Every structure is written in C-alpha cells, then in structure tokens.
C-alpha cells in the first residue's frame, strides 16, 4: 500500500473558542467539529492529518520548523497572526512545503487591517469566506499539490 502524504493543519489564536466566538462571523462549529470533518475528508482523499491549535506565535513557528521533513504540506489558519507575523512567514518559507492559507470569514469584507496577509506571500492559494468548509476545500487542494509533487 502507498504511504499516505501527511498534512499539518495549524490553527492560530482564539480559534480554540470557535462555537462561542462571534458565531455570526465564524459559524457555530467548534474546532473539534472542524477536526472531525477534516479527518473524514482526509481519509477519503488518502491523506493523513496532524491537526493543532495554539495561541502562542512561537509555538506555531516551532511546529512549522519541525514540519520540514515530517509533513508533505501545511494548511494554516493563522488567525490574527496572519496580519502581523513575519516570523510565521519566515518559518513557512524555510519549511519548503506547499502551503494553503484558510480563513473562515471573508477577510476582504471585514476591517481594512484584515485585508493584508503576510502568509499569502508564501501560500500556493488562499481560501476564505466559506466557513469550516474552507478547511475541506483546502484539503482537496492539498491532495492535488502533494500528488503533483510526487510526480
Ligand atoms: C480568521 C480571520 C482573522 O482576521 C481573525 O483574526 C481570526 C480568524 C478567520 O478564520 O476568518 O482570528 O483567520
């Protein structure tokens, strides 16, 4: 049997509060619900996932550094760090893995400070505005990216 590609799915600050956090913006699903949905989609796609959340920028940077050599791609919703973190951009750059950026909300319909993303500079693509379904779309995209890389 072929070895499954492994995808690291990272979630940034305050995403542990999904379900109670501004449901009109972020939906009613909890992060656990999203992880279960991702697990199901990943299995259907033949991908293995490692799903994590941290409120700590340094922890996210360390996990991204460790992904090099351990995972085949990174899906990231860096939450507010999207708009502030050159450290996460640098870590994603050195990881040398395909990156898909996800946001639950459509950041371009919101405050102007959310319109700029440091992560988009390194991402293969960005999915935003589709709620938790965005994670599933990101997995679909990642399946093709890791497939193409294996060719
Ligand atoms: C978010 C959008 C960010 O602007 C915000 O800071 C978040 C969540 C989203 O998923 O829509 O925490 O990344």
């Amino acid at each position: 049997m072929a070895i499954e590609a492994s995808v690291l799915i990272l979630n940034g600050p305050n995403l542990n509060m999904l379900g109670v956090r501004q449901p009109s913006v972020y939906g009613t699903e909890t992060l656990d619900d999203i992880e279960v949905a991702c697990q199901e989609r990943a299995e259907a796609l033949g991908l293995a996932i490692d799903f994590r959340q941290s409120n700590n920028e340094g922890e996210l940077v360390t996990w991204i550094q460790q992904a090099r050599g351990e995972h085949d791609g990174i899906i990231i919703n860096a939450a507010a760090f999207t708009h502030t973190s050159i450290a996460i951009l640098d870590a994603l750059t050195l990881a040398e893995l395909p990156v898909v950026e996800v946001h639950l909300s459509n950041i371009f319909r919101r405050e102007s400070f959310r319109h700029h993303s440091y992560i988009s500079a390194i991402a293969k693509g960005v999915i935003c505005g589709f709620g938790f379904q965005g994670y599933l779309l990101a997995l679909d995209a990642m399946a093709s990216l890791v497939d193409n890389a294996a060719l």
Side-chain angles (χ1 to χ4, degrees):
M1 207 174 110
I3 297 168
E4 285 182 331
S6 169
V7 181
L8 180 63
I9 305 182
L10 291 179
N11 295 280
N14 301 308
L15 294 173
N16 55 314
M17 299 303 288
L18 288 178
V20 293
R21 178 189 181 199
Q22 294 175 275
S24 62
V25 177
Y26 297 115
T28 52
E29 293 78 16
T30 65
L31 197 62
D32 283 348
D33 295 334
I34 296 174
E35 180 172 1
V36 168
C38 283
Q39 192 61 57
E40 276 174 19
R41 179 63 63 96
E43 272 170 32
L45 291 165
L47 297 173
I49 60 167
D50 182 350
F51 191 99
R52 302 185 195 183
Q53 188 274 333
S54 179
N55 292 325
N56 185 315
E57 184 178 13
E59 188 163 42
L60 290 163
V61 166
T62 300
W63 287 343
I64 295 165
Q65 290 176 1
Q66 291 168 349
R68 209 188 141 106
E70 262 185 48
H71 297 284
D72 301 294
I74 300 174
I75 294 172
I76 183 165
N77 182 352
F81 293 147
T82 304
H83 317 298
T84 61
S85 182
I86 298 168
I88 290 178
L89 169 63
D90 285 350
L92 290 168
T93 305
L94 74 82
E96 294 184 331
L97 293 172
V99 173
V100 179
E101 177 180 354
V102 178
H103 301 283
L104 295 152
S105 63
N106 181 350
I107 54 176
F108 301 102
R109 285 181 65 171
R110 303 184 63 197
E111 303 95 324
S112 57
F113 64 82
R114 296 185 202 275
H115 296 178
H116 177 261
S117 163
Y118 281 103
I119 289 162
S120 299
I122 188 70
K124 289 274 187 191
V126 183
I127 297 165
C128 73
F130 297 106
F132 82 95
Q133 304 254 10
Y135 284 74
L136 308 183
L137 296 169
L139 277 166
D140 291 345
M142 189 56 83
S144 321
L145 289 170
V146 295
D147 221 35
N148 290 341
L151 291 177

